[in-house]
Amino acid sequence: MTVTLHVCTTCRTGEVQEEDAPRQGALLHAALSKAGAPEGVQIVPVECLSACSQGASIALSAPGKWTYVYGRLRCTDSADILAGAAAYAATADGLVPWRERPVIFRKQSLARIPPMEFSK
């Protein structure tokens, strides 16, 4: 099963920028793409994750797994983001044990969304 790492390319990280200035989200996407996706993960640019006030943001999702949205990210976080994506891909349900998550995933989670097939 392929995990999708969505990267908001329109994020301005809450900053006022010139219209043609490089967006922090686009720079993050470029850094992640250059580093290369872990096995079982595809990096997909998206135009908006509606986390505009939270800086550059990403979402991790896969069929049957919990989806996570993370914010306040920078290009320098690329290695941790990819490590977190690999850990997420290795789970059956998307729930990576707390201590096994990169620190940025522990502290910068914006949302956790249940899988479409979720039942109590």
Side-chain angles (χ1 to χ4, degrees):
M1 169 186 337
T2 300
V3 166
T4 303
L5 170 58
H6 305 274
V7 183
C8 179
T9 58
T10 56
C11 282
R12 297 180 189 207
T13 62
E15 300 169 2
V16 176
Q17 296 178 324
E18 296 295 324
E19 193 58 38
D20 60 348
R23 306 285 175 99
Q24 292 302 311
L27 295 173
L28 177 60
H29 177 262
L32 291 166
S33 296
K34 181 178 179 182
E39 186 173 338
V41 177
Q42 64 177 347
I43 301 170
V44 176
V46 294
E47 290 199 6
C48 186
L49 289 173
S50 288
C52 304
S53 67
Q54 298 299 315
S57 58
I58 63 164
L60 282 169
S61 63
K65 294 187 179 197
W66 286 79
T67 295
Y68 284 85
V69 180
Y70 299 98
R72 300 180 301 281
L73 301 170
R74 303 211 171 273
C75 294
T76 55
D77 297 322
S78 295
D80 286 336
I81 293 168
L82 295 172
Y88 177 87
T91 67
D93 56 7
L95 301 174
V96 177
W98 179 257
R99 294 192 186 278
E100 295 176 24
R101 298 176 193 172
V103 172
I104 61 168
F105 279 15
R106 292 183 214 163
K107 297 187 178 221
Q108 293 167 222
S109 177
L110 303 180
R112 183 176 93 151
I113 303 158
M116 295 290 289
E117 311 80 14
F118 184 74
S119 63
K120 287 185 176 183

